[in-house]
Amino acid sequence: MNDAYGHAVGDQLLRQAAIRMRGCVRESDTVARFGGDEFVVLLPLIDTLADAATVAEKIRAALAAPFHLASLRVEVSSSIGVALYPDHGADEAALTLHADAAMYAAKHCGRDRVTVFSLAA
């Protein structure tokens, strides 16, 4: 994005993406930019893995809708990795590592998808 349209458009895309993601979660949840074009979504009051995957799919769908930036119509995809406490890690480092592994598995499988962490991933 930055190379094709410049940093101002890239920054605008990140801001709009963050707004869309915040619209998919509850007030008790957290959306934070992790670095570059990576975000972390914390769902502290989630009941099941299926609930977390549902939220992730909602975010994926929200990001798939076209963005209107300046005079541009931009379409992006997202690869989302899901890790659940304590099933996929007992601390922040393990959960981050496993969510990241799931995200890369989503990218490897064709992008624009949600993947839950698995030891087989």
Side-chain angles (χ1 to χ4, degrees), residues 21-78:
M21 285 186 277
R22 279 197 313 257
C24 296
V25 299
R26 302 162 298 187
E27 189 69 30
S28 61
D29 301 329
T30 301
V31 174
R33 185 170 171 212
F34 197 62
D37 61 352
E38 291 186 4
F39 289 81
V40 171
V41 178
L42 302 174
L43 309 171
L45 303 175
I46 206 76
D47 289 326
T48 67
L49 182 57
D51 291 341
T54 297
V55 172
E57 180 56 36
K58 191 174 172 184
I59 291 170
R60 191 208 58 75
L63 295 174
F67 288 86
H68 299 281
L69 310 169
S71 61
L72 302 169
R73 181 179 185 270
V74 177
E75 293 183 19
V76 300
S77 66
S78 59

Side-chain angles (χ1 to χ4, degrees), residues 74-87:
V74 177
E75 293 183 19
V76 300
S77 66
S78 59
S79 300
I80 300 175
V82 176
L84 185 69
Y85 171 86
D87 303 7

